[in-house]
Amino acid sequence: MQIKTYTANSMKDILSQIKSELGSDAVILSKREIADKSFGLAAKPLIEVTAAVDYDAGAHGHKTKTDELPEFPKLPAHNSLQPDSLSNEIIELKEMMKELIAHTGVTLHSGNPLRKKLLSLGIRPNLVDLVLSKLGQGAGAHSVKDLLSKIIRTERPIHNKVWAFVGTTGVGKTTTIAKIAARCVLNENKKAGLITLDTYRIGAIDQGRIYAKILNIPFLSVTTAAEFRTALAKLESMDLILVDTVGRSPLCRDYVPQLKEYLGGINPCTFLLMPVATRDTEMDTITRSFSELNIDRMIFTKVDEAIHSGSVITHNLLYRIPISFLTTGQRVPEDIEEASASTIVERCLGDMS
Ligand SMILES: Nc1nc2c(ncn2[C@@H]2O[C@H](COP(=O)(O)OP(=O)(O)O)[C@@H](O)[C@H]2O)c(=O)[nH]1
Ligand SMILES: [Mg+2]
């Protein structure tokens, strides 16, 4: 599979570039207008198109045709909901943090240039003070990095067949799923399938369908919890079932309960995706809203777009949800890496001296 993004003034130019570089089998994944920053405000918008072409249909049999996708009978809905524990843990952790700051000799290091630097990277003041107090007077950048590398939690995904990806709209769920599916199929030679939960029946499934088609893996879109269970049964022979969700604001009252209805009782490895550049307080609200789903792992996305990445450290120290992956760009499947504490520290504090 090859995926490329093209930018030009006209669709005609883009199409001829796509045709000459990717060939006539290429499909268009997305098209949008973007501002041309090079010539000031009067500039005409540019068109940006992402196109893809099948990597090697021959090696994996024939391509799946969209109109060959099977239909599924409806089953009675299951309604086994998981108790939520994460929100309690979060409250406890926050209380613990407050206690620590209040009673364990944490001192403010207001004049310390290292403190200023850590704050400028987006790490929360109370955590910066906690770290600096732990290290004592005269601590340098190196010892901060060392300490953080020891306490940042990263872990591989849980060994479950079903992986569910949740998060607000546009955070990179579908793209990240495509990256993981491609790696699974191409590098590990495993069988993967994709299910999209289109809870709001808004038909936002084309992108996932196209990725699945390119990878020649099964793709199913479901609009009820009962259809979801039937789809899971259909994909039983797969090594990994990746579940995409059509994101909405977690503040929409019925969004998380609906997802819970789908995922309850299945016990997937649930990933919460969050762009690194998300505002600190927004990260809090989103994490709390999704905590009802028992989030197992974090995936921080769009690392490449963030100016400062200290929010990743803040989030990890506060919520202690292990990070499994970082995504570093739009390219599928290249722009994803398994998270490790040392790479996170390097990415977040790399230029600190
Ligand atoms: N710069 C950058 N863009 C990304 C990354 N991951 C996804 N995107 C882009 O973010 C946009 C939304 O991604 P999508 O997967 O559709 O988000 P979803 O709504 O959560 O499924 C698309 O234009 C993606 O190409 C990343 O790691 N870096
Ligand atoms: Mg999507």
Side-chain angles (χ1 to χ4, degrees):
M1 169 172 58
Q2 198 185 351
I3 297 200
K4 275 194 85 169
T5 300
Y6 298 86
T7 312
N9 290 314
S10 77
M11 197 60 195
K12 197 169 159 229
D13 290 350
I14 292 181
L15 287 175
S16 73
Q17 275 187 61
I18 293 174
K19 205 167 173 195
S20 72
E21 286 188 46
L22 300 180
S24 48
D25 282 342
V27 285
I28 289 174
L29 297 181
S30 67
K31 171 179 173 267
R32 64 176 182 144
E33 280 193 352
I34 53 169
D36 183 356
K37 292 179 186 142
S38 51
F39 297 106
L41 291 173
K44 271 172 60 182
L46 290 172
I47 302 169
E48 186 195 74
V49 170
T50 303
V53 70
D54 200 338
Y55 67 102
D56 179 11
H60 288 260
H62 69 285
K63 290 183 190 176
T64 316
K65 281 213 181 85
T66 313
D67 54 8
E68 284 173 2
L69 292 166
E71 289 207 326
F72 299 103
K74 293 193 183 339
L75 282 185
H78 291 238
N79 207 3
S80 41
L81 304 181
Q82 298 279 341
D84 80 283
S85 59
L86 188 61
S87 47
N88 291 338
E89 277 176 33
I90 291 165
I91 294 164
E92 274 173 33
L93 272 164
K94 289 202 163 161
E95 287 308 311
M96 250 171 61
M97 207 60 87
K98 273 192 212 152
E99 290 279 305
L100 271 170
I101 290 165
H103 301 296
T104 56
V106 173
T107 46
L108 290 179
H109 299 70
S110 33
N112 183 341
L114 187 56
R115 180 179 193 267
K116 281 196 187 135
K117 182 72 196 168
L118 290 167
L119 291 179
S120 75
L121 295 173
I123 306 177
R124 254 186 222 180
N126 53 3
L127 293 173
V128 169
D129 290 329
L130 197 61
V131 166
L132 292 179
S133 290
K134 175 91 187 147
L135 292 171
Q137 285 293 325
H142 184 74
S143 42
V144 172
K145 286 186 185 178
D146 226 36
L147 176 64
L148 288 174
S149 302
K150 287 188 188 118
I151 56 179
I152 285 173
R153 286 186 71 181
T154 60
E155 265 174 63
R156 285 166 168 258
I158 298 173
H159 269 292
N160 284 1
K161 186 188 275 199
V162 183
W163 290 5
F165 298 75
V166 302
T168 50
T169 316
V171 294
K173 294 182 293 298
T174 308
T175 315
T176 303
I177 287 172
K179 291 170 184 174
I180 291 173
R183 284 173 157 231
C184 176
V185 172
L186 307 179
N187 301 353
E188 294 163 33
N189 215 13
K190 286 186 181 158
K191 288 189 288 179
L194 219 103
I195 303 177
T196 290
L197 308 186
D198 191 4
T199 24
Y200 287 92
R201 302 187 180 111
I202 52 175
I205 54 171
D206 282 343
Q207 202 192 356
R209 191 191 292 280
I210 292 166
Y211 281 127
K213 196 172 167 189
I214 293 166
L215 286 166
N216 197 24
I217 62 174
F219 171 85
L220 305 166
S221 162
V222 300
T223 54
T224 66
E227 280 180 9
F228 179 47
R229 277 156 180 79
T230 311
L232 286 174
K234 285 263 172 194
L235 298 183
E236 213 193 327
S237 64
M238 297 291 127
D239 299 303
L240 186 62
I241 301 173
L242 300 159
V243 180
D244 197 355
T245 55
V246 176
R248 254 206 168 186
S249 164
L251 303 177
C252 282
R253 244 182 343 128
D254 52 350
Y255 177 52
V256 171
Q258 262 198 356
L259 283 181
K260 212 166 152 180
E261 195 191 323
Y262 277 83
L263 301 174
I266 287 162
N267 203 21
C269 178
T270 304
F271 299 88
L272 174 62
L273 283 83
M274 185 96 76
V276 172
T278 312
R279 266 189 306 148
D280 201 3
T281 49
E282 212 173 309
M283 277 200 186
D284 270 346
T285 312
I286 293 169
T287 310
R288 269 202 295 271
S289 313
F290 279 101
S291 66
E292 274 187 62
L293 295 175
N294 294 330
I295 303 300
D296 297 298
R297 298 285 186 268
M298 289 302 297
I299 299 180
F300 282 99
T301 61
K302 309 193 184 186
V303 172
D304 55 305
E305 284 185 350
I307 297 168
H308 300 302
S309 320
S311 54
V312 174
I313 292 177
T314 299
H315 188 276
N316 193 259
L317 296 186
L318 282 179
Y319 294 96
R320 311 304 286 147
I321 308 172
I323 307 166
S324 282
F325 298 103
L326 302 174
T327 78
T328 55
Q330 290 183 299
R331 290 176 309 163
V332 178
E334 295 93 335
D335 292 335
I336 185 164
E337 56 186 59
E338 280 183 23
S340 77
S342 54
T343 55
I344 288 170
V345 168
E346 268 323 302
R347 281 194 176 277
C348 299
L349 312 179
D351 58 345
M352 205 178 78
S353 51

